Structures are given as C-alpha cells and as structure tokens.
Amino acid sequence: MVSDEVPFRPSRHAAFTDEQRWALLLEHDQCLERGAKAAFLRRVGVTPFSIKKWSMWRDAGRLVDPATKEPTTVARHVLKYDERVELERLRRENQRLQLELEQSQSAVELLGKAAALLEGLAKSAGPNQEEPPPRPGMPDWLRDPDTSRLPPIPSRPSAMPE
C-alpha cells in the first residue's frame, strides 16, 4: 500500500531533508508488486541511486528515524564560504587589535611611572636650582622666553617702486 503523498521538491536538483528521505525509504520498502518501486521513483522524481545511497546511510546508522532522533541545537554547515572567510578575517583583526591595546596599555603604564619618577626627581632637587650659565655670544633676548622684550621686526620694502 503506497500513499499518494509526494514531498514537494521545486527542481530535480533540490535536496530532500532527512525526514523526507526516511519517509521515501519507508514508502519504497512497501512497494512489493512488480514495477511498483520504479513507478514510485518516477512519480516522486528520485533516482534509484539516491534510494540505494539512502539505504546504505540507514544501514550504517547515518540516517535515523526522525521520531527517535534527539533534537540538535547545532546545525551543520551554517556559514557559507564567504561568511567563514569574513569570520576568519575578523578574528585575525580582533587578535591584532587586542595586541595593539595591550601595547598601548603597557605604554600608558610606563609613561605614568616615568612621570611619577620625574616628579619625584623635581621635588628632591628643590626650588633653589640655578639656571645654567649663558652660552657665550647668545643675546639675552634669545634666552628669555618672554617675547615682549624682542626687538621690533623691521617693515619690508614694497616690491613695486613708486
């Protein structure tokens, strides 16, 4: 007794799910009359090779009854090739950025220690530290950071004669 229910398949190359394969195998096994199996395969659009392959999977335990199969939360082959490539690129970039962050944090820590050391040295030197003697030939206005004592800048002659 063969049922008239045929699983929908949009094209010849569309794949069946494991549940559909199991159901088709059960129906195929029920075909006992001469030519019934070939007629069934033509009707559902499955090749004899596919049925043989699915039977081997069933015998090997790779294809099991969906009613007894435990639900799985992890799907196989979830990511496409370009998604896997992008994921690997992002992982490498993440690793590079984490290394850069660690280096930056180490540098900030080192600069903080250097600043504390310089501050401690400045406090221990005291406020009575004398300025170094002036270099010979250097005018006072160059040594002094106060710009109000700088000599005036002479005006520039115009390029056009009058």
Side-chain angles (χ1 to χ4, degrees):
M1 171 182 270
V2 179
S3 71
D4 291 331
E5 289 186 32
V6 178
F8 173 73
R9 190 165 77 165
S11 73
R12 284 186 46 161
H13 302 288
F16 286 107
T17 64
D18 285 344
E19 291 80 14
Q20 291 171 331
R21 288 181 186 134
W22 187 265
L24 288 173
L25 279 174
L26 290 179
E27 285 192 49
H28 184 263
D29 291 342
Q30 292 175 0
C31 296
L32 301 177
E33 298 176 15
R34 180 177 173 99
K37 290 186 179 193
F40 171 73
L41 293 178
R42 279 193 302 272
R43 191 181 68 211
V44 295
V46 177
T47 63
F49 176 75
S50 296
I51 289 291
K52 184 176 180 181
K53 181 173 57 172
W54 298 343
S55 296
M56 289 172 35
W57 288 356
R58 179 179 57 186
D59 296 341
R62 187 171 160 203
L63 184 64
V64 295
D65 183 5
T68 62
K69 189 164 110 175
E70 294 179 17
T72 59
T73 57
V74 178
R76 292 182 294 159
H77 310 293
V78 172
L79 298 178
K80 296 179 183 173
Y81 175 77
D82 56 338
E83 293 171 331
R84 288 193 307 263
V85 169
E86 177 73 8
L87 178 63
E88 185 59 34
R89 184 189 66 78
L90 290 173
R91 284 180 176 161
R92 283 193 309 268
E93 183 180 357
N94 188 12
Q95 187 177 15
R96 180 186 58 81
L97 290 173
Q98 284 180 352
L99 179 64
E100 191 175 309
L101 175 64
E102 288 174 8
Q103 290 173 346
S104 298
Q105 288 174 342
S106 297
V108 167
E109 185 179 330
L110 183 65
L111 287 173
K113 289 179 180 179
L117 177 67
L118 289 175
E119 186 177 323
L121 287 174
K123 285 181 182 177
S124 68
N128 296 337
Q129 191 176 15
E130 294 183 20
E131 291 186 26
R135 294 191 316 208
M138 181 181 267
D140 291 338
W141 60 270
L142 279 177
R143 274 186 254 118
D144 191 11
D146 184 17
T147 57
S148 63
R149 294 183 29 202
L150 290 177
I153 299 175
S155 63
R156 190 175 204 181
S158 65
M160 300 277 266
E162 291 183 25

